[in-house]
């Protein structure tokens, strides 16, 4: 870990062919390599990850334009957390094929990637605590989110601040889950100043802080689609945004 961190003249990374990883193995390896334009290879081949293995690996690599492919399907605690944080030139995110997530696995993975326009599909159906927390926070050019977040059972703070301050995002992913859990959507769309469409089919929003500040700072007018049987939404920053029209799904 930290092997080349803050090597500000490094432009090309060495190949990293390892398939058996260890905890923290590549953590912060190229952090702050502000001239790095090319990742180690087209892909990082390990299919089974280790705790914190890629944590902050390319954090602050402000010249990196393309991420390596990430084919792993068996994740680990914080495996990708902060991996590309602050990669302000990154325009494309890699596919993320895992369907079972692990604690904080994608947290802050692309936070402050201000050139990223499209989020990858997120097919996971088994979530974990904090798995997507702040994943795209501060991605100010993000215009396309995943069309749906398909999991039907949530985990604590799983989507907390996921799209916060995504100031170009207009449409939220479809949110089909009926029962919310503590902090699951907390701050999810905070500061999304252009957001004008949310479809949320929740019918039980009683969990602690499940929608706390989730729509604070969205556009002044928009459309909120809710479950027809749902009558307990409030209006405001933790409910249906003030000034939005409401439709039944």
């Amino acid at each position: 870990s930290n092997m080349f961190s803050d090597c500000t003249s490094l432009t090309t990374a060495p190949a990293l062919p390892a398939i058996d990883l260890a905890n923290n193995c590549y953590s912060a390896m190229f952090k702050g390599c502000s001239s790095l334009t090319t990742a180690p290879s087209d892909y990082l081949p390990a299919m089974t990850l280790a705790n914190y293995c890629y944590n902050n690996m390319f954090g602050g690599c402000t010249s990196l334009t393309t991420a390596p492919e990430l084919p792993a399907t068996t994740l680990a605690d914080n495996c990708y957390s902060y991996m590309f944080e602050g990669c302000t030139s990154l325009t494309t995110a890699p596919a993320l094929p895992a369907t079972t997530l692990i604690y904080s696995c994608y947290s802050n993975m692309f936070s402050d990637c201000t050139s990223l326009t499209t989020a990858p599909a997120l097919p996971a159906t088994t979530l974990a605590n904090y798995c997507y927390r702040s994943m795209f926070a501060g991605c100010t050019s993000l215009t396309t989110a995943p069309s749906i977040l398909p999991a039907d059972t949530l985990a604590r703070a799983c989507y907390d601040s996921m799209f916060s301050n995504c100031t170009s995002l207009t449409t939220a992913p479809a949110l089909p889950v009926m029962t919310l859990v503590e902090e699951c959507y907390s701050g999810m769309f905070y500061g999304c100043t252009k957001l004008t469409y949310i479809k949320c089919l929740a019918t039980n929003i009683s969990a602690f802080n499940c929608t706390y500040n989730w729509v604070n700072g969205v556009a002044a007018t928009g459309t909120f689609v809710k479950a027809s049987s749902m009558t307990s939404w409030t209006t405001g920053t933790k409910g249906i945004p003030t000034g939005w029209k409401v439709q039944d799904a």
Side-chain angles (χ1 to χ4, degrees), residues 31 36 48 61 67 84 94 155-156 158 199 201 214 236:
K31 185 182 182 211
L36 188 73
T48 298
C61 289
F84 301 103
R156 179 175 181 169
C158 55
K199 182 179 183 179
L201 302 184
W214 81 311

Side-chain angles (χ1 to χ4, degrees), residues 84-97:
F84 301 103
E85 183 197 23
C87 289
T88 53
S89 299
L90 190 72
T91 56
T92 306
L96 298 172

Side-chain angles (χ1 to χ4, degrees), residues 34-37 58 60-67 84-93 112-117:
S34 54
S35 299
L36 188 73
T37 56
F58 299 102
C61 289
T62 53
S63 299
L64 189 70
T65 57
T66 305
F84 301 103
E85 183 197 23
C87 289
T88 53
S89 299
L90 190 72
T91 56
T92 306
D112 298 321
C113 287
T114 53
S115 298
L116 190 68
T117 58

Side-chain angles (χ1 to χ4, degrees), residues 148-152 159 173-179 185 199-203:
I148 188 170
L149 295 172
D152 57 15
Y159 301 126
L175 303 172
V177 176
M178 297 174 68
T179 301
Y185 293 156
K199 182 179 183 179
C200 178
L201 302 184
T203 55

Side-chain angles (χ1 to χ4, degrees), residues 53-174:
C53 59
Y54 299 132
N55 168 254
N56 218 348
M57 185 175 182
F58 299 102
C61 289
T62 53
S63 299
L64 189 70
T65 57
T66 305
E69 289 183 37
L70 301 171
T73 51
T74 302
L75 308 187
D77 283 8
N78 285 280
C79 54
Y80 292 127
S81 61
Y82 295 90
M83 186 175 186
F84 301 103
E85 183 197 23
C87 289
T88 53
S89 299
L90 190 72
T91 56
T92 306
L96 298 172
T99 56
T100 298
L101 304 188
I102 302 295
Y103 178 85
S104 200
C105 56
Y106 296 133
S107 64
N108 291 86
M109 185 176 184
F110 300 103
S111 58
D112 298 321
C113 287
T114 53
S115 298
L116 190 68
T117 58
T118 303
L122 299 172
T125 51
T126 301
L127 306 188
N129 292 354
Y130 305 103
C131 55
Y132 291 122
R133 181 173 55 177
S134 299
M135 186 177 186
F136 302 103
C139 290
T140 53
S141 298
L142 193 75
T143 55
T144 306
S147 59
I148 188 170
L149 295 172
D152 57 15
T153 302
L154 303 185
R156 179 175 181 169
C158 55
Y159 301 126
D160 175 32
S161 303
M162 185 176 182
F163 298 101
S164 62
N165 296 311
C166 287
T167 52
S168 299
L169 189 66
T170 59
T171 301

